[in-house]
Amino acid sequence: MMDDVQQRPEHGPLAGFTVGVTAARRADELGALLQRRGAAVLHAPAIRIVPLADDSELLAATKQLIDQAPDVVVATTAIGFRGWVEAADGWGLGDALLERLRAVELLARGPKVKGAVRAAGLTEEWSPASESMAEVLDRLLEQGVDGRRIAVQLHGEPLPGFVEALKAGGAEVVGVPVYRWLPPEDLGPVDRLLDAAVSRGVDAVTFTSAPAAASLLSRAEERGLLPELLAAFGHDVLPACVGPVTAVPLQGHGVDTVQPERFRLGPLVQLLCRQLPARARALPVAGHRLEIRGHAVLVDGELRTVPPAGMSLLRVLSRRPGWVVPRAELLRALPGTGRDEHAVETAMARLRTSIGAPKLIQTVVKRGYRLALDPATDAKYTDG
């Protein structure tokens, strides 16, 4: 696949970058969007969803709402609302639930949820165009909630301050736990993603739900890797969230994230298409423009795939472009724990071959190697 990319003059904006995907649901869709734009994808579902029909809490909450009508029901996710209705059907309570929902004030958080509500044969009282739970809360508080019974469809993600604000306003809040997030049964992919993140083997990690973010952080803590993961997110690995609610667990650890203006997969991928190339190091070297990406380089705009050892050497050289880097320092950067500096010469030869412009890297006899930074810009990078 990468060879095909090299043969074309055009390549995707994410070519040469590796992106981790933590989603359990719609992961294939997100992965396809990323790959279509040239990225390599490392898929590690950080959560799994408990089947609705197995959830006794949802059954109890459904029976309670059928027996004692709420004043308001807030539907928060399309998949959750559909799943609730399907689960009720499976329990023989579907008609009773729909009849109850027809008789109450039904609020839908955004267009997707509104579509699910109408597909069930119901009509929402109101829905914000912004998909903001804050806007739903403002509406409820403006109407007054004292003494009202409000059912809120929980969807596995934190609703910061939402339930607390309703209770403070005097409402009785009934949580409807539509589905439950749990850690994945197979932790292997998550561990591989963590290892890749702390070793800078990925350039970005995407999050489409708060539980996935919380799960990844929890697993990192279990393995003693949390400080290293947070350091990676702080400098070299871009944490990208589909929206502000998803970012809450990361922000709780002091991690700054990027988020698209519209909380959708497409805009999330478009954001990465802008952010990752902008973060790549671009240098004028030996009459060429060298752009260093995660597992590849662009030489005058042409994509060149580089072996991992070569990328390790290139990153070290690019930290001090124009300066000589000793072989011993380059050896420490190579994967593995070997002590033979001949390994540096072998990796350097492969690196030069893969970038297709050998003069970009100069050998300085008995000292080491340097990136041949153009003289016109040499002072800019080398003056102390």
Side-chain angles (χ1 to χ4, degrees):
M1 184 173 178
M2 193 62 72
D3 289 338
D4 292 340
V5 173
Q6 283 188 344
Q7 290 166 11
R8 295 194 303 265
E10 296 294 329
H11 53 76
L14 295 179
F17 295 113
T18 302
V19 179
V21 171
T22 61
R25 189 171 57 86
R26 299 182 70 191
D28 290 343
E29 180 183 349
L30 178 54
L33 288 171
L34 292 166
Q35 289 173 332
R36 205 172 298 147
R37 287 155 180 81
V41 174
L42 182 58
H43 182 215
I47 49 177
R48 60 188 167 96
I49 302 173
V50 172
L52 287 164
D54 294 343
D55 200 324
S56 58
E57 287 184 41
L58 176 61
L59 174 58
T62 302
K63 287 180 176 178
Q64 182 186 3
L65 291 176
I66 291 172
D67 293 340
Q68 185 181 355
D71 298 294
V72 182
V73 173
V74 181
T76 57
T77 66
I79 184 178
F81 189 80
R82 286 194 301 269
W84 185 16
V85 173
E86 289 169 6
D89 279 338
W91 296 321
L93 299 173
D95 291 340
L97 176 62
L98 292 177
E99 184 179 344
R100 177 61 76 204
L101 293 176
R102 284 191 188 96
V104 304
E105 181 181 343
L106 182 57
L107 306 182
R109 190 210 68 167
K112 281 190 171 181
V113 192
K114 182 163 61 174
V117 166
R118 294 189 179 183
L122 304 170
T123 303
E124 76 289 346
E125 178 92 6
W126 176 82
S127 177
S130 67
E131 303 183 59
S132 166
M133 287 299 287
E135 199 172 335
V136 176
L137 178 62
D138 288 344
R139 177 186 168 89
L140 287 169
L141 294 178
E142 284 171 12
Q143 291 178 332
V145 297
D146 189 21
R148 302 188 84 193
R149 194 158 182 264
I150 301 174
V152 181
Q153 173 210 319
L154 307 176
H155 53 97
E157 302 186 9
L159 301 173
F162 187 86
V163 172
E164 291 80 1
L166 292 177
K167 288 181 177 178
E172 177 192 353
V173 181
V174 179
V176 182
V178 180
Y179 46 78
R180 188 184 309 282
W181 302 110
L182 291 175
E185 291 180 335
D186 180 9
L187 288 168
V190 173
D191 286 344
R192 286 191 288 275
L193 176 58
L194 285 172
D195 292 340
V198 300
S199 66
R200 279 54 171 182
V202 293
D203 303 287
V205 178
T206 59
F207 299 94
T208 55
S209 73
S215 179
L216 189 73
L217 293 167
S218 175
R219 180 58 180 166
E221 190 167 22
E222 287 175 11
R223 294 185 58 202
L225 292 175
L226 186 57
E228 293 176 62
L229 179 65
L230 297 178
F233 282 153
H235 295 93
D236 305 304
V237 179
L238 180 67
C241 297
V242 77
V245 172
T246 296
V248 167
L250 292 158
Q251 290 173 340
H253 285 274
V255 175
D256 291 327
T257 66
V258 296
Q259 303 155 26
E261 290 184 9
R262 292 181 61 245
F263 310 147
R264 294 281 187 273
L265 296 187
L268 176 63
V269 172
Q270 291 166 11
L271 179 65
L272 289 174
C273 288
R274 295 191 301 272
Q275 290 271 342
L276 288 180
R279 290 160 61 98
R281 189 79 185 273
L283 297 167
V285 182
H288 300 276
R289 184 182 186 276
L290 177 68
E291 182 178 320
I292 302 170
R293 297 190 168 191
H295 61 263
V297 297
L298 295 183
V299 181
D300 298 329
E302 184 179 350
L303 184 69
R304 299 278 186 172
T305 306
V306 177
M311 287 305 303
S312 297
L313 296 180
L314 200 52
R315 288 192 192 98
V316 175
L317 292 170
S318 69
R319 289 189 198 120
R320 289 180 288 165
W323 288 69
V324 177
V325 180
R327 284 180 174 80
E329 184 176 338
L330 292 168
L331 179 62
R332 287 194 296 272
L334 287 177
T337 56
R339 297 183 180 181
D340 185 359
E341 290 187 3
H342 180 68
V344 175
E345 296 174 16
T346 302
M348 191 63 71
R350 291 174 179 164
L351 170 60
R352 284 171 163 156
T353 300
S354 62
I355 61 179
K359 292 183 179 179
L360 295 181
I361 303 171
Q362 292 179 340
T363 302
V364 181
V365 180
K366 296 185 179 179
R367 292 181 60 197
Y369 300 89
R370 66 186 286 271
L371 277 182
L373 200 68
D374 285 342
T377 58
D378 193 66
K380 172 183 174 184
Y381 288 95
T382 57
D383 283 359

